[in-house]
Amino acid sequence: MNKIQAKISGVSGYVPDYVLTNHELEQLVDTTDEWISTRTGIKERRILKGEGQGTSVIGIESVKQLLEKTNTNPVDIDLLICATTTPDYQFPATANLIADAIGAKNAFGYDLQAACSGFIFALATGSQYIETGKYKKVVVVGADKMSSIIDYEDRSTCVIFGDGGGAVLLEPTQEDTGIIDSILRSDGAGAKHLHMKAGGSSRPANHATIDAREHFVYQEGSVVFKFAVTQMAAVAKEIMENNQLEGNDITYLVPHQANKRIIDATARTMGISNDKVMLNIDKYGNTTNGTIPLCLWNYEQKLKRDDKLILAAFGGGFTWGSIYLKWAYNS
Ligand code: ACO
């Protein structure tokens, strides 16, 4: 009997209605549409507005849509993992809030924090529970409300990030499809280049941390850029080599959407042409854990059974990784 593999049997996405354009950002900080477009590839991003609206709103909308599309009864879900860097609360986990709202009464859930690589880490984690045979339906959510930790007076970060996310359903298969391989990496020495200075246990919130604007993303952009461009390409190349894949074998690269220049460099290293790269950074910017499910959701109609996809991401931590999977269904 073939071994059990985890296949993605459905994907969904959700972005809030409010569109924050480059032109609107020109009114907030000293920047231009031209700079943002040429340096990042971003034209607009979505913002979740409204009192009490956290990341769980994005997760709930995504999972509701996913259950409807896949005809899944919420009580049949075994596990819900939410990859997020902007949880609704320090505790409880946003996964629990999502599971409760969608009626996943028999599921356990937890959050996973790996910054922009979180969705890949969560997908690899979720697939292990399926592969052991223990669980049959695992939902993996990747969602962030980045606007909650962005300083709209800092032009080097506020132009990059947006809010949004998506979800996938993992189910077992014994056919030659689904998640084939993953490589996950992290290096805490990179923390100093990309982090939030206060609000955690080492520096709890107080008046001084608020006055010093320490509850926002701190990023040394050009340092992070150099690591991202090198490591994302290297890990994607490594997973191709481990699975005897050439550029021509791959149907789509599904890259984390942090910067179009990083994506282009990754595709070049992999020997993949631009038409085989999933891209939506122009519409949504960097939604951190949301980028990869949003790409899969946007391109779902073009995907066919047995298409070979390489997912790749790099983020704070530093964290980075890649997944090789075969798409399991025709839309
Ligand atoms: N508008 C105009 N000028 C700007 C802006 C802006 N929005 N932002 C920065 N600049 C200026 C800088 O002040 C600097 O000016 P100076 O030369 O006078 O000092 C100049 O542009 C160049 O700045 P750099 O930071 O070197 O610009 P760079 O080309 O590197 O682009 C960016 C900045 C977009 C942040 C890029 O470095 C990047 O994409 N970094 C990687 C991001 C990433 O992958 N992050 C990981 C995932 S995020 C996560 O995990 C949460």
Side-chain angles (χ1 to χ4, degrees):
M1 200 164 70
N2 290 339
K3 84 176 186 53
I4 301 169
Q5 296 200 146
K7 65 172 182 182
I8 293 178
S9 48
V11 60
S12 64
Y14 176 79
V15 287
D17 293 335
Y18 189 86
V19 179
L20 175 60
T21 62
N22 289 352
H23 293 294
E24 190 177 342
L25 284 167
E26 285 174 348
Q27 316 303 314
L28 298 178
V29 288
D30 181 14
T31 192
T32 59
D33 171 46
E34 208 267 330
W35 192 96
I36 303 170
S37 305
T38 54
R39 304 307 291 166
T40 71
I42 302 166
K43 296 301 278 184
E44 56 189 44
R45 67 290 290 142
R46 300 300 180 98
I47 303 294
L48 182 61
K49 300 253 182 184
E51 197 70 22
Q53 303 288 290
T55 293
S56 65
V57 171
I58 299 166
I60 291 163
E61 291 304 322
S62 300
V63 180
K64 274 187 189 162
Q65 189 196 111
L66 180 71
L67 299 184
E68 211 177 295
K69 276 174 84 169
T70 56
N71 255 323
T72 303
N73 189 332
V75 297
D76 292 335
I77 299 171
D78 299 303
L79 163 63
L80 190 149
I81 305 173
C82 180
T84 187
T85 298
T86 52
D88 283 32
Y89 306 101
Q90 282 268 24
F91 74 94
T94 302
N96 300 151
L97 307 178
I98 299 169
D100 177 53
I102 54 130
K105 294 196 179 313
N106 299 314
F108 71 106
Y110 57 85
D111 289 358
L112 189 149
Q113 160 64 292
C116 290
S117 311
F119 184 76
I120 282 191
F121 280 39
L123 195 56
T125 306
S127 70
Q128 304 298 307
Y129 288 98
I130 299 276
E131 284 175 22
T132 61
K134 179 139 178 141
Y135 298 119
K136 301 277 183 290
K137 289 186 193 295
V138 173
V139 172
V140 179
V141 177
D144 271 301
K145 181 186 173 183
M146 291 307 290
S147 61
S148 65
I149 55 167
I150 291 302
D151 182 354
Y152 287 93
E153 294 183 10
D154 174 7
R155 69 176 181 174
S156 69
T157 51
C158 75
V159 302
I160 302 170
F161 294 97
D163 303 339
V168 296
L169 177 65
L170 294 178
E171 291 183 286
T173 179
Q174 284 177 289
E175 292 171 11
D176 176 28
T177 187
I179 292 158
I180 314 277
D181 197 8
S182 63
I183 302 175
L184 310 177
R185 298 263 155 74
S186 58
D187 178 2
K192 58 181 176 293
H193 304 299
L194 177 53
H195 61 281
M196 194 162 99
K197 291 185 186 299
S201 55
S202 71
R203 199 160 159 71
N206 59 41
H207 288 292
T209 63
I210 291 170
D211 290 345
R213 307 185 78 79
E214 290 179 349
H215 295 271
F216 297 120
V217 169
Y218 168 82
Q219 175 168 257
E220 294 161 11
S222 53
V223 178
V224 179
F225 185 92
K226 280 183 203 126
F227 276 98
V229 98
T230 319
Q231 302 294 21
M232 201 161 115
V235 77
K237 186 82 184 151
E238 187 181 339
I239 208 164
M240 284 171 68
E241 282 165 7
N242 292 353
N243 292 278
Q244 291 86 45
L245 294 167
E246 303 287 333
N248 286 340
D249 300 322
I250 292 157
T251 321
Y252 279 107
L253 164 65
V254 193
H256 171 54
Q257 313 276 307
N259 188 315
K260 173 113 178 3
R261 290 182 290 143
I262 298 174
I263 295 171
D264 290 345
T266 304
R268 262 198 312 276
T269 304
M270 295 169 72
I272 289 182
S273 54
N274 287 343
D275 57 319
K276 291 174 150 195
V277 180
M278 290 193 188
L279 211 60
N280 58 18
I281 191 170
D282 55 327
K283 291 190 293 184
Y284 306 140
N286 181 351
T287 55
T288 300
N289 286 281
T291 62
I292 289 179
L294 280 172
C295 275
L296 292 173
W297 177 57
N298 285 162
Y299 282 75
E300 185 190 19
Q301 295 305 317
K302 296 188 178 172
L303 290 171
K304 292 189 286 304
R305 198 191 143 91
D306 292 332
D307 280 352
K308 293 176 176 159
L309 310 187
I310 301 279
L311 283 45
F314 182 91
F318 292 140
T319 54
W320 63 103
S322 187
I323 284 182
Y324 166 43
L325 64 86
K326 282 193 198 162
W327 197 248
Y329 61 95
N330 296 315
S331 288

